[in-house]
Amino acid sequence: MSETLLVTPLHALHIEMGAKMVPFAGYDMPVQYALGVKKEHLHCREFAGLFDVSHMGQLRLKGEGAAKALEKLVPVDIIDLPSNKQRYAFFTNEEGGIDDDLMVTNFGDHLFVVVNAACKTQDIAHLKVNLPSDVELEVIEDRALLALQGPKAVDMLAKLNPSVANMVFMDAEKVELVGVECYVSRSGYTGEDGFEISVPAEQAELLARELLANDEVEWIGLGARDSLRLECGLCLYGHDLDETTTPVEASLLWGISKARRADGIRAGGFIGSELILEQIATKNVSRKRVGLIGKTKAPVREGAVLFDANDNQIGVVTSGTFGPSKGMPVAMGYIYTSFTDIGTEVFAEVRGKKLAMTVEKMPFVAQSYYRG
């Protein structure tokens, strides 16, 4: 079946570097390299990790009404998003659920949007149906996407262009790297300081090799990407977020801009806003996303059912692994709101055994974003 999988512009380099490849969101993607998942994870926390995320969808929205049009589809302030700034957003549906989460950057003459690989076909269709005729949607097919993450990321990228050191978290700039214009944002999906770099596909391998020439930089696969984001409390769409889960249930209130809330200057006006704003006002949801820490060494995986002390089913794990930095099992999941207090003991069923876990504040490992 692998011949039907799509490949990124860096596929041959992954093979050359000894990557173990797996199918992911329709692509043949590296899950790990020779270091192995645990060492890759710890290397990224201490030095710098390089990730190929070219499977993600890259889009441009052009036209004077682009910000206003996109704002009707997300509960985020896009109209007043400053130039060269990026914001996290999510597409909502009529039932208040989340159809995808995405990053939006204002580059002045256009909005640059990055969507999840598994959702990009439906996201593009959603935009085409909902954008007015004066807003042009361009699907970018000729660029790769790299993420350079970790405490040494800024030093490594500044060797190629010193100006990146002046950027702060969620800044985005057009920056020349290896002789070509790249779209660089100071952001990422590991909880560490770092950058995401949209680079012309033809120069992607050159840029990757330039970064990997530093001893501090190692390729990191999907396995460690997952454990890194989970330790830092970051959601994975299709697991911790889906079309049946509202932002309030998902504990993503920070992702709903003040301007779009009930008392905001542009209150509501997005798909599903009535239900979502009502949930914010009444706090009336039956379940919430929480962090969970295991009391044994056994990891608790996605799909594990959660119980209370009286053996009543109270929820489910949506992401779980052993956290290499935390040194213990970490997970997140949804449980009934009456069990969401920090320190509450719950029990996860793993291979017929009930393993004790406690509800814990996220992130499990402190985020290290550079805010200046």
Side-chain angles (χ1 to χ4, degrees):
M1 292 294 287
S2 62
E3 67 272 9
T4 65
L5 292 173
L6 298 168
V7 297
T8 75
L10 292 158
H11 187 265
L13 183 56
H14 298 310
I15 303 298
E16 180 188 320
M17 295 289 180
K20 180 185 177 187
M21 308 297 286
V22 297
F24 182 81
Y27 283 77
D28 196 31
M29 293 294 288
V31 69
Q32 67 179 77
Y33 300 84
L35 269 183
V37 174
K38 182 180 178 182
K39 285 182 179 174
E40 287 173 30
H41 175 114
L42 295 172
H43 184 92
C44 186
R45 287 268 187 257
E46 190 175 356
F47 300 106
L50 186 64
F51 303 76
D52 179 10
V53 287
S54 306
H55 59 310
M56 309 279 276
Q58 301 182 62
L59 316 172
R60 279 192 197 96
L61 302 185
K62 299 177 186 170
E64 275 188 36
K68 186 178 178 184
L70 184 57
E71 210 178 77
K72 290 182 178 176
L73 307 179
V74 297
V76 180
D77 181 356
I78 304 294
I79 288 173
D80 292 325
L81 177 61
S83 195
N84 294 318
K85 284 287 185 183
Q86 184 181 64
R87 210 161 259 166
Y88 173 78
F90 29 83
F91 289 129
T92 48
N93 58 40
E94 296 289 355
E95 290 74 44
I98 299 171
D99 284 347
D100 195 14
D101 60 345
L102 54 144
M103 300 300 287
V104 182
T105 301
N106 179 9
F107 275 130
D109 61 341
H110 72 276
L111 295 176
F112 176 63
V113 178
V114 177
V115 299
N116 282 303
C119 302
K120 64 183 171 186
T121 302
Q122 74 185 41
D123 290 347
I124 291 163
H126 181 58
L127 285 163
K128 282 179 176 173
V129 167
N130 286 286
L131 292 176
S133 57
D134 62 342
V135 176
E136 179 192 345
L137 170 64
E138 180 190 348
V139 181
I140 302 171
E141 305 278 14
D142 60 351
R143 297 184 82 88
L145 195 64
L146 286 166
L148 183 67
Q149 300 281 294
K152 298 291 184 186
V154 63
D155 299 334
M156 300 302 103
L157 197 59
K159 287 184 178 184
L160 302 181
N161 190 320
S163 70
V164 299
N166 300 320
M167 298 171 69
V168 298
F169 183 56
M170 295 303 239
D171 276 358
E173 304 273 358
K174 292 178 180 176
V175 174
E176 188 173 300
L177 301 171
V178 296
V180 292
E181 183 180 80
C182 297
Y183 309 150
V184 177
S185 67
R186 197 156 190 175
S187 62
Y189 191 50
T190 61
E192 296 295 328
D193 182 25
F195 301 86
E196 295 204 337
I197 308 157
S198 173
V199 54
E202 289 180 356
Q203 277 77 32
E205 184 175 325
L206 175 60
L207 177 57
R209 288 188 188 276
E210 286 280 338
L211 292 168
L212 292 163
N214 298 288
D215 290 341
E216 294 94 333
V217 181
E218 291 280 356
W219 272 124
I220 312 291
L222 292 172
R225 182 171 164 84
D226 193 54
S227 57
L228 287 158
R229 67 92 191 168
L230 180 50
E231 283 188 338
C232 286
L234 302 173
C235 295
L236 176 61
Y237 191 81
H239 301 259
D240 314 301
L241 307 175
D242 62 32
E243 69 278 1
T244 69
T245 304
T246 72
V248 183
E249 292 172 322
S251 303
L252 288 178
L253 283 183
W254 59 268
I256 301 176
S257 299
K258 193 167 184 280
R260 312 301 305 284
R261 298 198 187 196
D263 56 350
I265 53 171
R266 292 189 306 283
F270 55 91
I271 299 171
S273 59
E274 285 184 18
L275 187 146
I276 291 168
L277 294 179
E278 184 187 355
Q279 285 187 348
I280 293 173
T282 62
K283 299 183 173 62
N284 186 21
V285 292
S286 62
R287 61 181 190 138
K288 288 289 283 283
R289 179 175 66 94
V290 297
L292 298 162
I293 290 280
K295 291 186 170 182
T296 70
K297 286 288 184 186
V300 177
R301 306 289 184 188
E302 176 184 358
V305 177
L306 297 166
F307 296 85
D308 68 7
N310 299 317
D311 227 23
N312 299 306
Q313 191 171 322
I314 58 168
V316 66
V317 170
T318 53
S319 286
T321 191
F322 189 87
S325 305
K326 189 71 177 171
M328 57 184 67
V330 294
M332 62 173 84
Y334 286 81
I335 58 175
Y336 295 145
T337 47
S338 53
F339 295 91
T340 57
D341 287 347
I342 302 299
T344 302
E345 187 173 58
V346 300
F347 299 87
E349 187 168 42
V350 179
R351 292 189 289 277
K353 291 181 180 174
K354 301 276 174 56
L355 303 182
M357 305 190 84
T358 53
V359 175
E360 205 52 67
K361 191 173 183 226
M362 291 187 286
F364 307 115
V365 171
Q367 295 165 346
S368 304
Y369 306 129
Y370 179 71
R371 301 181 190 272

